[in-house]
Amino acid sequence: MDIYERLKGGEPINTRESKEFKEILWPETVRSRTLCHKINSLPPFDDKVRMLINELFEGKLPKSSQISTPFQIDRGHCVSIGEREFINEGLDVMAAGSITIEDDVLIGPQVTILTSNHDFNDLAILKNKPVLIKKKAWIGAKAVLCPGITVGEGAVVAAGAVVTKDVAPHILVGGNPAKYIKNI
C-alpha cells in the first residue's frame, strides 16, 4: 500500500523521521504550492491559468469544473474533483488525507478543507482522515470542513460553519460547531 493510501486510512506519519514524508509527500507539497503561486500570480482569466490548474490536478480536472483564483492547495495529487463544480475564490486546502468532491457541488469563497491534524503529544506526528463532499452539496462562504467528515448529498453547510461531524443528506447545518438547522 502506498503512502497516500496509508494516510487516507489514518496511519500517522512522523514528519521529522519518515523517509516517505521527505521523499514523496514533501516534494508534492513543493510542486503543488509552486503551481498555486504561479496560478495566483496570473490575471484570473489568463489562458495559462486553466493549463496550470490542470497540471496541479495531474490532468484530472474535468472541463466542466471551475476553480476561481486565488487559492491554496498543498497536495493537488490528493484532491479529486467531479463534474460541473464551481469553487469560488480563496479555497484553502490541506489534502494529505485525500479530498473527494463529487459532481455538481458548489463551494463558496474562502472555504477551508482540512484532512490533517497533529498528535497532541507529539506535534511532528501528522494524522489524516479523508473528506468527502457528496453530489449537489453546497458549502457556504468561510466554512471550515474538518478532517474525516462527509457532507451528504444535497446538504448545505451555512456560511461560517465549522463542520466537525458528518452532515446527513438534504439538511442545512450551521454554527460552530455546525449543528442541524432544518431539512431541505
Side-chain angles (χ1 to χ4, degrees):
M1 189 179 322
D2 77 7
I3 185 65
Y4 292 109
E5 286 300 314
R6 293 184 358 239
L7 289 172
K8 189 176 180 177
E11 182 178 317
I13 185 166
N14 187 316
T15 59
R16 287 191 198 113
E17 298 172 4
S18 169
K19 182 178 177 182
E20 290 168 310
F21 180 82
K22 293 172 186 167
E23 294 179 3
I24 299 171
L25 297 174
W26 185 248
E28 173 58 13
T29 297
V30 171
R31 182 191 80 85
S32 294
R33 288 185 178 170
T34 300
L35 281 166
C36 286
H37 178 74
K38 287 179 183 179
I39 293 163
N40 294 333
S41 296
L42 292 168
F45 300 103
D46 189 298
D47 292 338
K48 295 175 191 165
V49 169
R50 181 68 186 202
M51 177 190 71
L52 290 169
I53 291 173
N54 201 41
E55 184 179 340
L56 175 66
F57 292 109
E58 300 177 326
K60 298 180 289 186
L61 180 68
K63 289 182 181 179
S64 64
S65 293
Q66 179 182 345
I67 302 175
S68 298
T69 61
F71 60 83
Q72 185 61 50
I73 297 173
D74 72 339
R75 290 181 177 91
H77 175 80
C78 298
V79 180
S80 174
I81 295 177
E83 297 283 348
R84 298 169 302 281
E85 311 292 2
F86 179 76
I87 300 172
N88 216 320
E89 63 188 38
L91 180 70
D92 191 6
V93 169
M94 294 183 68
S98 87
I99 296 169
T100 302
I101 304 170
E102 293 184 350
D103 299 340
D104 302 302
V105 169
L106 178 62
I107 297 180
Q110 283 85 48
V111 167
T112 300
I113 304 173
L114 307 168
T115 66
S116 301
N117 206 344
H118 293 273
D119 186 299
F120 289 125
N121 298 313
D122 184 349
L123 298 179
I125 304 294
L126 194 60
K127 295 178 170 184
N128 300 278
K129 294 180 181 176
V131 169
L132 172 60
I133 304 172
K134 297 220 171 206
K135 295 177 185 178
K136 299 181 180 180
W138 177 12
I139 311 301
K142 296 188 178 185
V144 176
L145 306 183
C146 293
I149 62 99
T150 294
V151 176
E153 184 172 336
V156 176
V157 174
V162 177
V163 181
T164 60
K165 296 180 182 175
D166 289 350
V167 177
H170 307 289
I171 67 166
L172 169 64
V173 299
N176 180 5
K179 291 184 176 19
Y180 169 85
I181 295 174
K182 68 178 186 176
N183 291 334
I184 298 174

Short mmCIF file of all heavy atoms in Angstrom, two decimals, residues 17-82:
data_model
loop_
_atom_site.label_atom_id
_atom_site.label_comp_id
_atom_site.label_asym_id
_atom_site.label_seq_id
_atom_site.Cartn_x
_atom_site.Cartn_y
_atom_site.Cartn_z
N GLU A 17 10.86 12.16 10.89
CA GLU A 17 11.64 10.94 10.71
C GLU A 17 11.27 10.11 9.48
O GLU A 17 12.06 9.29 9.04
CB GLU A 17 11.49 10.06 11.96
CG GLU A 17 12.03 10.73 13.21
CD GLU A 17 11.72 9.95 14.47
OE1 GLU A 17 11.14 8.85 14.37
OE2 GLU A 17 12.04 10.45 15.56
N SER A 18 10.11 10.30 8.91
CA SER A 18 9.65 9.47 7.82
C SER A 18 10.39 9.75 6.51
O SER A 18 10.39 10.88 6.01
CB SER A 18 8.15 9.68 7.59
OG SER A 18 7.75 9.06 6.39
N LYS A 19 10.99 8.71 5.97
CA LYS A 19 11.65 8.81 4.67
C LYS A 19 10.62 9.13 3.58
O LYS A 19 10.88 9.93 2.69
CB LYS A 19 12.37 7.50 4.37
CG LYS A 19 13.14 7.49 3.09
CD LYS A 19 13.86 6.16 2.90
CE LYS A 19 14.57 6.15 1.56
NZ LYS A 19 15.23 4.88 1.31
N GLU A 20 9.42 8.54 3.68
CA GLU A 20 8.36 8.78 2.69
C GLU A 20 7.87 10.22 2.74
O GLU A 20 7.54 10.80 1.70
CB GLU A 20 7.20 7.81 2.89
CG GLU A 20 7.57 6.40 2.51
CD GLU A 20 6.53 5.41 2.97
OE1 GLU A 20 6.16 5.45 4.16
OE2 GLU A 20 6.09 4.61 2.14
N PHE A 21 7.83 10.81 3.93
CA PHE A 21 7.43 12.22 4.02
C PHE A 21 8.44 13.08 3.26
O PHE A 21 8.07 13.93 2.46
CB PHE A 21 7.32 12.68 5.47
CG PHE A 21 6.91 14.12 5.59
CD1 PHE A 21 5.57 14.47 5.50
CD2 PHE A 21 7.85 15.12 5.75
CE1 PHE A 21 5.17 15.80 5.57
CE2 PHE A 21 7.47 16.46 5.84
CZ PHE A 21 6.12 16.79 5.74
N LYS A 22 9.72 12.84 3.50
CA LYS A 22 10.76 13.64 2.88
C LYS A 22 10.88 13.39 1.38
O LYS A 22 11.15 14.31 0.61
CB LYS A 22 12.10 13.36 3.57
CG LYS A 22 12.13 13.85 5.01
CD LYS A 22 13.37 13.39 5.72
CE LYS A 22 13.29 13.79 7.20
NZ LYS A 22 14.29 13.14 8.00
N GLU A 23 10.69 12.14 0.95
CA GLU A 23 10.92 11.79 -0.45
C GLU A 23 9.68 11.83 -1.34
O GLU A 23 9.80 11.95 -2.56
CB GLU A 23 11.57 10.41 -0.54
CG GLU A 23 12.96 10.38 0.05
CD GLU A 23 13.61 9.02 -0.01
OE1 GLU A 23 13.01 8.07 -0.56
OE2 GLU A 23 14.74 8.89 0.51
N ILE A 24 8.48 11.72 -0.75
CA ILE A 24 7.25 11.67 -1.56
C ILE A 24 6.31 12.81 -1.20
O ILE A 24 5.88 13.57 -2.06
CB ILE A 24 6.53 10.31 -1.39
CG1 ILE A 24 7.44 9.18 -1.87
CG2 ILE A 24 5.20 10.31 -2.14
CD1 ILE A 24 6.92 7.79 -1.55
N LEU A 25 5.96 12.93 0.07
CA LEU A 25 4.95 13.91 0.49
C LEU A 25 5.45 15.35 0.40
O LEU A 25 4.74 16.23 -0.10
CB LEU A 25 4.46 13.61 1.89
CG LEU A 25 3.75 12.26 2.05
CD1 LEU A 25 3.42 12.01 3.51
CD2 LEU A 25 2.51 12.22 1.20
N TRP A 26 6.67 15.62 0.88
CA TRP A 26 7.16 16.99 0.84
C TRP A 26 7.37 17.47 -0.60
O TRP A 26 6.96 18.59 -0.93
CB TRP A 26 8.43 17.15 1.67
CG TRP A 26 8.86 18.58 1.70
CD1 TRP A 26 9.97 19.12 1.13
CD2 TRP A 26 8.15 19.67 2.28
NE1 TRP A 26 10.00 20.47 1.33
CE2 TRP A 26 8.88 20.85 2.03
CE3 TRP A 26 6.95 19.78 2.98
CZ2 TRP A 26 8.48 22.10 2.46
CZ3 TRP A 26 6.53 21.04 3.41
CH2 TRP A 26 7.30 22.18 3.15
N PRO A 27 7.96 16.67 -1.50
CA PRO A 27 8.08 17.13 -2.89
C PRO A 27 6.72 17.43 -3.54
O PRO A 27 6.62 18.36 -4.34
CB PRO A 27 8.80 15.98 -3.60
CG PRO A 27 9.59 15.32 -2.52
CD PRO A 27 8.73 15.43 -1.29
N GLU A 28 5.67 16.70 -3.18
CA GLU A 28 4.35 17.00 -3.72
C GLU A 28 3.84 18.32 -3.17
O GLU A 28 3.19 19.10 -3.88
CB GLU A 28 3.36 15.88 -3.41
CG GLU A 28 1.91 16.17 -3.77
CD GLU A 28 1.65 16.50 -5.24
OE1 GLU A 28 2.52 16.28 -6.10
OE2 GLU A 28 0.55 17.00 -5.53
N THR A 29 4.14 18.63 -1.92
CA THR A 29 3.78 19.92 -1.35
C THR A 29 4.51 21.04 -2.09
O THR A 29 3.90 22.05 -2.45
CB THR A 29 4.13 19.98 0.15
OG1 THR A 29 3.36 18.99 0.83
CG2 THR A 29 3.84 21.34 0.75
N VAL A 30 5.78 20.87 -2.34
CA VAL A 30 6.56 21.89 -3.06
C VAL A 30 5.99 22.07 -4.47
O VAL A 30 5.78 23.20 -4.93
CB VAL A 30 8.05 21.51 -3.10
CG1 VAL A 30 8.83 22.43 -4.03
CG2 VAL A 30 8.64 21.53 -1.69
N ARG A 31 5.70 20.97 -5.18
CA ARG A 31 5.13 21.04 -6.53
C ARG A 31 3.80 21.79 -6.52
O ARG A 31 3.58 22.72 -7.30
CB ARG A 31 4.93 19.62 -7.10
CG ARG A 31 4.38 19.60 -8.52
CD ARG A 31 3.94 18.18 -8.92
NE ARG A 31 2.64 17.84 -8.37
CZ ARG A 31 1.47 18.16 -8.95
NH1 ARG A 31 1.44 18.80 -10.09
NH2 ARG A 31 0.32 17.81 -8.39
N SER A 32 2.92 21.41 -5.60
CA SER A 32 1.58 22.00 -5.55
C SER A 32 1.62 23.47 -5.16
O SER A 32 0.96 24.31 -5.78
CB SER A 32 0.69 21.22 -4.57
OG SER A 32 0.47 19.92 -5.05
N ARG A 33 2.38 23.81 -4.16
CA ARG A 33 2.43 25.20 -3.71
C ARG A 33 3.10 26.10 -4.76
O ARG A 33 2.71 27.25 -4.93
CB ARG A 33 3.14 25.31 -2.37
CG ARG A 33 2.29 24.78 -1.24
CD ARG A 33 2.93 25.00 0.09
NE ARG A 33 2.05 24.50 1.15
CZ ARG A 33 2.43 24.37 2.41
NH1 ARG A 33 3.65 24.71 2.78
NH2 ARG A 33 1.59 23.91 3.31
N THR A 34 4.10 25.56 -5.44
CA THR A 34 4.75 26.31 -6.52
C THR A 34 3.76 26.58 -7.64
O THR A 34 3.67 27.71 -8.16
CB THR A 34 5.99 25.57 -7.03
OG1 THR A 34 6.91 25.41 -5.94
CG2 THR A 34 6.67 26.32 -8.16
N LEU A 35 2.99 25.57 -8.02
CA LEU A 35 1.97 25.76 -9.06
C LEU A 35 0.90 26.75 -8.60
O LEU A 35 0.47 27.61 -9.38
CB LEU A 35 1.35 24.43 -9.46
CG LEU A 35 2.19 23.59 -10.41
CD1 LEU A 35 1.68 22.16 -10.47
CD2 LEU A 35 2.23 24.22 -11.80
N CYS A 36 0.46 26.65 -7.35
CA CYS A 36 -0.53 27.61 -6.84
C CYS A 36 0.01 29.03 -6.90
O CYS A 36 -0.70 29.96 -7.29
CB CYS A 36 -0.94 27.26 -5.41
SG CYS A 36 -2.02 25.82 -5.30
N HIS A 37 1.27 29.21 -6.56
CA HIS A 37 1.88 30.54 -6.63
C HIS A 37 1.86 31.06 -8.07
O HIS A 37 1.50 32.22 -8.32
CB HIS A 37 3.30 30.51 -6.09
CG HIS A 37 4.00 31.81 -6.18
ND1 HIS A 37 3.72 32.87 -5.35
CD2 HIS A 37 4.94 32.26 -7.05
CE1 HIS A 37 4.47 33.90 -5.69
NE2 HIS A 37 5.21 33.55 -6.72
N LYS A 38 2.24 30.22 -9.01
CA LYS A 38 2.22 30.62 -10.43
C LYS A 38 0.80 30.98 -10.87
O LYS A 38 0.59 32.00 -11.53
CB LYS A 38 2.76 29.50 -11.31
CG LYS A 38 4.24 29.30 -11.22
CD LYS A 38 4.68 28.14 -12.11
CE LYS A 38 6.17 27.86 -11.97
NZ LYS A 38 6.59 26.72 -12.79
N ILE A 39 -0.14 30.13 -10.52
CA ILE A 39 -1.55 30.36 -10.89
C ILE A 39 -2.05 31.67 -10.29
O ILE A 39 -2.66 32.50 -10.98
CB ILE A 39 -2.43 29.18 -10.42
CG1 ILE A 39 -2.07 27.90 -11.19
CG2 ILE A 39 -3.92 29.51 -10.53
CD1 ILE A 39 -2.56 26.62 -10.55
N ASN A 40 -1.80 31.88 -9.01
CA ASN A 40 -2.32 33.05 -8.31
C ASN A 40 -1.62 34.35 -8.73
O ASN A 40 -2.12 35.44 -8.46
CB ASN A 40 -2.20 32.86 -6.80
CG ASN A 40 -3.10 31.74 -6.30
OD1 ASN A 40 -4.12 31.44 -6.90
ND2 ASN A 40 -2.70 31.12 -5.21
N SER A 41 -0.47 34.23 -9.39
CA SER A 41 0.26 35.40 -9.87
C SER A 41 -0.25 35.90 -11.22
O SER A 41 0.10 37.00 -11.64
CB SER A 41 1.76 35.07 -9.99
OG SER A 41 2.29 34.78 -8.73
N LEU A 42 -1.06 35.11 -11.88
CA LEU A 42 -1.60 35.47 -13.19
C LEU A 42 -2.93 36.21 -13.06
O LEU A 42 -3.65 36.02 -12.08
CB LEU A 42 -1.81 34.22 -14.04
CG LEU A 42 -0.56 33.47 -14.48
CD1 LEU A 42 -0.92 32.11 -15.06
CD2 LEU A 42 0.22 34.30 -15.50
N PRO A 43 -3.29 37.01 -14.07
CA PRO A 43 -4.64 37.58 -14.08
C PRO A 43 -5.67 36.43 -14.07
O PRO A 43 -5.43 35.38 -14.69
CB PRO A 43 -4.70 38.37 -15.39
CG PRO A 43 -3.28 38.64 -15.74
CD PRO A 43 -2.49 37.46 -15.22
N PRO A 44 -6.80 36.59 -13.39
CA PRO A 44 -7.73 35.47 -13.18
C PRO A 44 -8.22 34.75 -14.44
O PRO A 44 -8.49 33.57 -14.40
CB PRO A 44 -8.91 36.12 -12.45
CG PRO A 44 -8.45 37.43 -11.98
CD PRO A 44 -7.25 37.81 -12.76
N PHE A 45 -8.32 35.47 -15.56
CA PHE A 45 -8.87 34.84 -16.75
C PHE A 45 -7.82 34.62 -17.84
O PHE A 45 -8.15 34.39 -18.99
CB PHE A 45 -10.05 35.66 -17.27
CG PHE A 45 -11.14 35.76 -16.23
CD1 PHE A 45 -11.31 36.92 -15.50
CD2 PHE A 45 -11.95 34.67 -15.95
CE1 PHE A 45 -12.29 37.01 -14.52
CE2 PHE A 45 -12.94 34.74 -14.98
CZ PHE A 45 -13.10 35.91 -14.26
N ASP A 46 -6.55 34.64 -17.45
CA ASP A 46 -5.46 34.37 -18.38
C ASP A 46 -5.58 32.93 -18.88
O ASP A 46 -5.91 32.02 -18.11
CB ASP A 46 -4.12 34.58 -17.65
CG ASP A 46 -2.92 34.55 -18.56
OD1 ASP A 46 -2.68 33.50 -19.19
OD2 ASP A 46 -2.21 35.57 -18.63
N ASP A 47 -5.29 32.71 -20.14
CA ASP A 47 -5.38 31.36 -20.73
C ASP A 47 -4.47 30.36 -20.03
O ASP A 47 -4.75 29.16 -20.02
CB ASP A 47 -5.04 31.41 -22.22
CG ASP A 47 -6.09 32.13 -23.04
OD1 ASP A 47 -7.25 32.24 -22.57
OD2 ASP A 47 -5.75 32.59 -24.15
N LYS A 48 -3.38 30.82 -19.44
CA LYS A 48 -2.43 29.92 -18.78
C LYS A 48 -2.99 29.36 -17.47
O LYS A 48 -2.54 28.32 -16.99
CB LYS A 48 -1.12 30.65 -18.50
CG LYS A 48 -0.38 31.05 -19.75
CD LYS A 48 0.85 31.86 -19.39
CE LYS A 48 1.46 32.48 -20.63
NZ LYS A 48 2.41 33.53 -20.30
N VAL A 49 -3.95 30.05 -16.85
CA VAL A 49 -4.49 29.63 -15.56
C VAL A 49 -5.05 28.22 -15.64
O VAL A 49 -4.70 27.35 -14.84
CB VAL A 49 -5.55 30.63 -15.03
CG1 VAL A 49 -6.29 30.06 -13.83
CG2 VAL A 49 -4.89 31.95 -14.66
N ARG A 50 -5.93 27.98 -16.61
CA ARG A 50 -6.56 26.65 -16.73
C ARG A 50 -5.51 25.57 -16.97
O ARG A 50 -5.59 24.48 -16.41
CB ARG A 50 -7.60 26.67 -17.86
CG ARG A 50 -8.32 25.36 -18.05
CD ARG A 50 -9.21 25.05 -16.87
NE ARG A 50 -9.80 23.73 -17.00
CZ ARG A 50 -10.89 23.35 -16.38
NH1 ARG A 50 -11.52 24.17 -15.59
NH2 ARG A 50 -11.35 22.15 -16.52
N MET A 51 -4.51 25.87 -17.79
CA MET A 51 -3.44 24.90 -18.08
C MET A 51 -2.68 24.53 -16.80
O MET A 51 -2.42 23.36 -16.53
CB MET A 51 -2.50 25.48 -19.13
CG MET A 51 -1.32 24.59 -19.46
SD MET A 51 -0.10 25.44 -20.47
CE MET A 51 0.58 26.58 -19.28
N LEU A 52 -2.35 25.54 -15.99
CA LEU A 52 -1.61 25.29 -14.76
C LEU A 52 -2.47 24.57 -13.71
O LEU A 52 -1.98 23.71 -12.98
CB LEU A 52 -1.05 26.59 -14.19
CG LEU A 52 0.09 27.21 -15.01
CD1 LEU A 52 0.39 28.62 -14.51
CD2 LEU A 52 1.33 26.34 -14.96
N ILE A 53 -3.76 24.92 -13.64
CA ILE A 53 -4.66 24.22 -12.73
C ILE A 53 -4.75 22.75 -13.13
O ILE A 53 -4.72 21.85 -12.27
CB ILE A 53 -6.05 24.88 -12.68
CG1 ILE A 53 -5.98 26.25 -12.00
CG2 ILE A 53 -7.06 23.98 -11.94
CD1 ILE A 53 -7.27 27.05 -12.06
N ASN A 54 -4.83 22.49 -14.42
CA ASN A 54 -4.87 21.11 -14.90
C ASN A 54 -3.58 20.37 -14.53
O ASN A 54 -3.61 19.20 -14.15
CB ASN A 54 -5.11 21.09 -16.41
CG ASN A 54 -5.67 19.76 -16.86
OD1 ASN A 54 -6.52 19.18 -16.20
ND2 ASN A 54 -5.18 19.29 -17.97
N GLU A 55 -2.46 21.06 -14.59
CA GLU A 55 -1.19 20.46 -14.18
C GLU A 55 -1.20 20.15 -12.68
O GLU A 55 -0.74 19.08 -12.25
CB GLU A 55 -0.03 21.39 -14.53
CG GLU A 55 1.33 20.82 -14.22
CD GLU A 55 2.48 21.75 -14.59
OE1 GLU A 55 2.29 22.67 -15.41
OE2 GLU A 55 3.58 21.55 -14.03
N LEU A 56 -1.74 21.08 -11.88
CA LEU A 56 -1.83 20.87 -10.44
C LEU A 56 -2.60 19.58 -10.13
O LEU A 56 -2.20 18.80 -9.27
CB LEU A 56 -2.53 22.07 -9.78
CG LEU A 56 -2.83 21.96 -8.29
CD1 LEU A 56 -1.54 21.91 -7.48
CD2 LEU A 56 -3.70 23.12 -7.85
N PHE A 57 -3.70 19.35 -10.85
CA PHE A 57 -4.53 18.16 -10.62
C PHE A 57 -4.14 16.99 -11.52
O PHE A 57 -4.90 16.04 -11.66
CB PHE A 57 -6.01 18.51 -10.79
CG PHE A 57 -6.52 19.42 -9.71
CD1 PHE A 57 -6.84 20.73 -10.00
CD2 PHE A 57 -6.65 18.97 -8.41
CE1 PHE A 57 -7.29 21.59 -9.00
CE2 PHE A 57 -7.09 19.81 -7.41
CZ PHE A 57 -7.41 21.13 -7.71
N GLU A 58 -2.96 17.07 -12.10
CA GLU A 58 -2.40 15.98 -12.91
C GLU A 58 -3.35 15.53 -14.01
O GLU A 58 -3.52 14.35 -14.26
CB GLU A 58 -1.97 14.83 -12.01
CG GLU A 58 -0.91 15.25 -11.01
CD GLU A 58 -0.50 14.17 -10.04
OE1 GLU A 58 -1.35 13.33 -9.64
OE2 GLU A 58 0.69 14.16 -9.67
N GLY A 59 -4.00 16.50 -14.66
CA GLY A 59 -4.88 16.20 -15.79
C GLY A 59 -6.24 15.65 -15.41
O GLY A 59 -6.99 15.24 -16.28
N LYS A 60 -6.59 15.67 -14.12
CA LYS A 60 -7.84 15.06 -13.66
C LYS A 60 -8.96 16.07 -13.39
O LYS A 60 -10.00 15.69 -12.87
CB LYS A 60 -7.59 14.23 -12.40
CG LYS A 60 -6.62 13.08 -12.60
CD LYS A 60 -6.40 12.30 -11.32
CE LYS A 60 -5.60 13.14 -10.36
NZ LYS A 60 -5.19 12.48 -9.14
N LEU A 61 -8.77 17.34 -13.75
CA LEU A 61 -9.82 18.33 -13.53
C LEU A 61 -10.76 18.32 -14.73
O LEU A 61 -10.36 18.61 -15.85
CB LEU A 61 -9.23 19.73 -13.36
CG LEU A 61 -10.25 20.84 -13.11
CD1 LEU A 61 -10.91 20.64 -11.74
CD2 LEU A 61 -9.60 22.20 -13.20
N PRO A 62 -12.05 17.98 -14.52
CA PRO A 62 -12.99 17.95 -15.64
C PRO A 62 -13.14 19.33 -16.29
O PRO A 62 -13.08 20.35 -15.60
CB PRO A 62 -14.31 17.53 -14.98
CG PRO A 62 -13.92 16.85 -13.71
CD PRO A 62 -12.67 17.55 -13.26
N LYS A 63 -13.32 19.35 -17.58
CA LYS A 63 -13.50 20.60 -18.32
C LYS A 63 -14.73 21.36 -17.84
O LYS A 63 -14.80 22.57 -17.95
CB LYS A 63 -13.59 20.32 -19.82
CG LYS A 63 -12.28 19.90 -20.41
CD LYS A 63 -12.38 19.67 -21.91
CE LYS A 63 -11.02 19.23 -22.42
NZ LYS A 63 -11.02 18.96 -23.84
N SER A 64 -15.71 20.64 -17.30
CA SER A 64 -16.96 21.28 -16.85
C SER A 64 -16.84 21.93 -15.48
O SER A 64 -17.79 22.53 -15.00
CB SER A 64 -18.09 20.24 -16.83
OG SER A 64 -17.81 19.24 -15.87
N SER A 65 -15.68 21.80 -14.84
CA SER A 65 -15.49 22.34 -13.48
C SER A 65 -14.59 23.55 -13.50
O SER A 65 -13.69 23.67 -14.32
CB SER A 65 -14.91 21.26 -12.57
OG SER A 65 -15.85 20.24 -12.39
N GLN A 66 -14.85 24.46 -12.54
CA GLN A 66 -14.11 25.71 -12.48
C GLN A 66 -13.68 26.01 -11.06
O GLN A 66 -14.46 25.86 -10.11
CB GLN A 66 -15.00 26.85 -12.99
CG GLN A 66 -14.33 28.20 -12.95
CD GLN A 66 -15.27 29.31 -13.42
OE1 GLN A 66 -16.30 29.07 -14.01
NE2 GLN A 66 -14.89 30.53 -13.12
N ILE A 67 -12.43 26.47 -10.92
CA ILE A 67 -11.90 26.92 -9.64
C ILE A 67 -11.43 28.35 -9.84
O ILE A 67 -10.60 28.63 -10.70
CB ILE A 67 -10.72 26.05 -9.17
CG1 ILE A 67 -11.14 24.60 -9.05
CG2 ILE A 67 -10.17 26.57 -7.86
CD1 ILE A 67 -10.01 23.66 -8.72
N SER A 68 -11.97 29.27 -9.03
CA SER A 68 -11.59 30.68 -9.13
C SER A 68 -10.32 30.94 -8.33
O SER A 68 -10.15 30.41 -7.23
CB SER A 68 -12.71 31.57 -8.60
OG SER A 68 -13.87 31.41 -9.38
N THR A 69 -9.47 31.77 -8.88
CA THR A 69 -8.25 32.15 -8.19
C THR A 69 -8.51 33.38 -7.34
O THR A 69 -9.48 34.11 -7.60
CB THR A 69 -7.13 32.47 -9.21
OG1 THR A 69 -7.54 33.55 -10.03
CG2 THR A 69 -6.81 31.26 -10.06
N PRO A 70 -7.70 33.62 -6.31
CA PRO A 70 -6.59 32.80 -5.85
C PRO A 70 -7.06 31.64 -4.97
O PRO A 70 -8.17 31.67 -4.44
CB PRO A 70 -5.76 33.79 -5.03
CG PRO A 70 -6.77 34.73 -4.46
CD PRO A 70 -7.84 34.86 -5.52
N PHE A 71 -6.22 30.64 -4.83
CA PHE A 71 -6.48 29.51 -3.95
C PHE A 71 -5.17 28.91 -3.50
O PHE A 71 -4.12 29.21 -4.08
CB PHE A 71 -7.37 28.44 -4.62
CG PHE A 71 -6.78 27.85 -5.87
CD1 PHE A 71 -5.85 26.82 -5.81
CD2 PHE A 71 -7.15 28.32 -7.11
CE1 PHE A 71 -5.30 26.27 -6.96
CE2 PHE A 71 -6.61 27.78 -8.28
CZ PHE A 71 -5.68 26.76 -8.19
N GLN A 72 -5.22 28.06 -2.46
CA GLN A 72 -4.03 27.37 -1.97
C GLN A 72 -4.37 25.91 -1.73
O GLN A 72 -5.30 25.60 -0.96
CB GLN A 72 -3.54 28.02 -0.66
CG GLN A 72 -2.24 27.45 -0.16
CD GLN A 72 -1.10 27.64 -1.14
OE1 GLN A 72 -0.86 28.73 -1.62
NE2 GLN A 72 -0.38 26.58 -1.44
N ILE A 73 -3.66 25.03 -2.40
CA ILE A 73 -3.84 23.58 -2.23
C ILE A 73 -2.46 22.98 -2.01
O ILE A 73 -1.57 23.14 -2.83
CB ILE A 73 -4.51 22.95 -3.48
CG1 ILE A 73 -5.92 23.55 -3.65
CG2 ILE A 73 -4.55 21.43 -3.37
CD1 ILE A 73 -6.62 23.16 -4.92
N ASP A 74 -2.28 22.29 -0.88
CA ASP A 74 -0.95 21.80 -0.54
C ASP A 74 -0.56 20.51 -1.26
O ASP A 74 0.61 20.23 -1.42
CB ASP A 74 -0.78 21.64 0.97
CG ASP A 74 -1.56 20.48 1.55
OD1 ASP A 74 -2.54 20.03 0.92
OD2 ASP A 74 -1.22 20.04 2.67
N ARG A 75 -1.54 19.72 -1.72
CA ARG A 75 -1.23 18.47 -2.42
C ARG A 75 -2.32 18.20 -3.47
O ARG A 75 -3.30 17.52 -3.19
CB ARG A 75 -1.13 17.31 -1.42
CG ARG A 75 0.08 17.41 -0.54
CD ARG A 75 0.19 16.24 0.43
NE ARG A 75 1.42 16.37 1.20
CZ ARG A 75 1.51 17.00 2.36
NH1 ARG A 75 0.46 17.58 2.88
NH2 ARG A 75 2.66 17.06 2.99
N GLY A 76 -2.11 18.73 -4.66
CA GLY A 76 -3.08 18.54 -5.74
C GLY A 76 -3.30 17.08 -6.07
O GLY A 76 -4.39 16.68 -6.47
N HIS A 77 -2.29 16.27 -5.85
CA HIS A 77 -2.36 14.82 -6.11
C HIS A 77 -3.46 14.14 -5.29
O HIS A 77 -3.99 13.12 -5.70
CB HIS A 77 -0.99 14.20 -5.78
CG HIS A 77 -0.93 12.72 -5.88
ND1 HIS A 77 -0.79 12.07 -7.08
CD2 HIS A 77 -1.02 11.77 -4.94
CE1 HIS A 77 -0.78 10.76 -6.87
NE2 HIS A 77 -0.91 10.56 -5.57
N CYS A 78 -3.81 14.72 -4.16
CA CYS A 78 -4.74 14.10 -3.22
C CYS A 78 -6.17 14.62 -3.33
O CYS A 78 -7.01 14.28 -2.51
CB CYS A 78 -4.24 14.31 -1.80
SG CYS A 78 -2.63 13.57 -1.47
N VAL A 79 -6.45 15.45 -4.34
CA VAL A 79 -7.78 16.04 -4.49
C VAL A 79 -8.44 15.51 -5.75
O VAL A 79 -7.84 15.54 -6.83
CB VAL A 79 -7.70 17.59 -4.55
CG1 VAL A 79 -9.09 18.19 -4.71
CG2 VAL A 79 -7.01 18.14 -3.31
N SER A 80 -9.67 15.04 -5.61
CA SER A 80 -10.46 14.56 -6.75
C SER A 80 -11.69 15.44 -6.88
O SER A 80 -12.48 15.56 -5.93
CB SER A 80 -10.87 13.10 -6.51
OG SER A 80 -11.72 12.67 -7.53
N ILE A 81 -11.86 16.05 -8.06
CA ILE A 81 -12.96 16.98 -8.30
C ILE A 81 -13.85 16.42 -9.40
O ILE A 81 -13.38 16.03 -10.46
CB ILE A 81 -12.42 18.38 -8.68
CG1 ILE A 81 -11.65 18.96 -7.49
CG2 ILE A 81 -13.55 19.30 -9.12
CD1 ILE A 81 -11.01 20.28 -7.76
N GLY A 82 -15.16 16.41 -9.13
CA GLY A 82 -16.14 15.88 -10.06
C GLY A 82 -16.53 16.86 -11.15
O GLY A 82 -15.93 17.93 -11.31
#
